[in-house]
Amino acid sequence: MAARIAPRPTHFLSIPLGQLHAGLRAQVTEFRDQVDEAHLPIVVAPPRIHFTLGVMNLDPHRPESRTVDEALSLLRELPTRLALPETAPIVPLDLLDVLKRNGPRRAHVLHIGPQEAGNDSLISLFNNVHAIFREEGFITETRPLKLHMTLMNTNFNRPRKGRTQPFSFDVVRLGAQALGVVNELADEFTFPQTMSWGAYEASSLHIMGSYGPDGAYVSLGNVPLSRQSA
């Protein structure tokens, strides 16, 4: 019997820092300016950089799928189901790492995010959001949440035929200064790396799906992530 193929996600839970903060968009733009032209198609567009707290299939053409309205209803319940902080959480962007390695010095995904150490309450809050949507059947993935924002992904430039090609760590090194990498001049440029892009307020959580005319994701609804704004 053939294995059942999971339906493709149509929507996701997002903290859209790229849309909320012009300063972060400027930092992504500076990094893009330092990457060679051949790799620009795999670098995220500045307005799209975001944290994903879970992906969902809300396809109205699939009878077994949950609906957008149901997901929005659960989203609106979150302030009563979570122990929200008094003020909006602040997310430091001080870790640079890769996923889907291909050999010792190549990978398919470059991402940024907070160090785990010292950010227990922040990571716990986002894990709890993920857990609620998983327990209610909206998120079907079983792997634990990894808090990160994708900066480069070879899937952004997937060929019609064949496989995507991994990027070399040396490509990232070209933009190391823009990333605020601490040891950019080290003989062996590898990962993870400590970086310095400051810290940003994560004021709201959104459900998103398609792109808008400006290339940014479209929010279908959002809730605040602090008691002060709830």
Side-chain angles (χ1 to χ4, degrees):
M1 185 176 179
R4 183 180 178 184
I5 300 175
R8 290 177 61 86
T10 60
H11 297 76
F12 60 98
L13 293 170
S14 173
I15 299 177
L17 292 189
Q19 294 184 36
L20 297 173
H21 299 287
L24 180 57
R25 294 195 298 275
Q27 287 173 305
V28 176
T29 299
E30 185 179 356
F31 172 71
R32 286 176 60 88
D33 289 344
Q34 293 187 11
V35 172
D36 63 274
E37 187 174 349
H39 288 87
L40 276 180
I42 68 171
V43 182
V44 69
R48 292 187 190 176
I49 194 163
H50 66 278
F51 286 114
T52 296
L53 301 193
V55 297
M56 303 171 285
N57 179 273
L58 307 176
D59 185 348
H61 302 295
R62 292 179 61 90
E64 67 273 28
S65 292
R66 306 299 294 271
T67 68
V68 171
D69 286 343
E70 289 174 328
L72 289 172
S73 178
L74 181 57
L75 181 74
R76 289 190 287 268
E77 291 179 14
L78 287 183
T80 64
R81 298 179 61 167
L82 292 169
L84 292 177
E86 180 63 30
T87 58
I90 303 297
V91 185
L93 301 179
D94 53 10
L95 178 68
L96 180 71
D97 206 352
V98 293
L99 293 170
K100 300 182 180 179
R101 289 176 181 259
N102 188 293
R105 296 190 52 77
R106 297 170 73 86
H108 285 275
V109 177
L110 176 73
H111 65 87
I112 61 177
Q115 305 268 0
E116 287 191 10
N119 290 300
D120 293 349
S121 60
L122 174 75
I123 293 172
S124 177
L125 174 63
F126 295 159
N127 277 334
N128 288 339
V129 170
H130 179 87
I132 288 172
F133 273 82
R134 188 177 64 239
E135 290 163 3
E136 296 289 345
F138 290 92
I139 295 172
T140 57
E141 286 186 333
T142 56
R143 60 184 176 179
L145 175 67
K146 182 175 179 61
L147 190 62
H148 68 282
M149 294 195 297
T150 298
L151 193 57
M152 296 174 66
N153 190 332
T154 56
N155 279 337
F156 294 164
N157 193 35
R158 178 178 289 277
R160 292 187 177 182
K161 295 182 179 180
R163 298 182 177 181
T164 57
Q165 296 301 309
F167 56 82
S168 165
F169 291 177
D170 290 333
V171 172
V172 182
R173 190 169 193 164
L174 293 173
Q177 186 175 1
L179 292 167
V181 171
V182 173
N183 60 339
E184 61 172 296
L185 300 179
D187 292 336
E188 184 71 8
F189 190 83
T190 186
F191 295 95
Q193 290 270 0
T194 299
M195 63 178 292
S196 178
W197 261 13
Y200 289 91
E201 184 180 273
S203 57
S204 53
L205 174 69
H206 299 244
I207 290 178
M208 293 186 158
S210 61
Y211 304 135
D214 60 351
Y217 293 106
V218 175
S219 175
L220 302 180
N222 69 89
V223 292
L225 286 173
S226 67
R227 293 196 303 272
Q228 193 175 77
S229 301

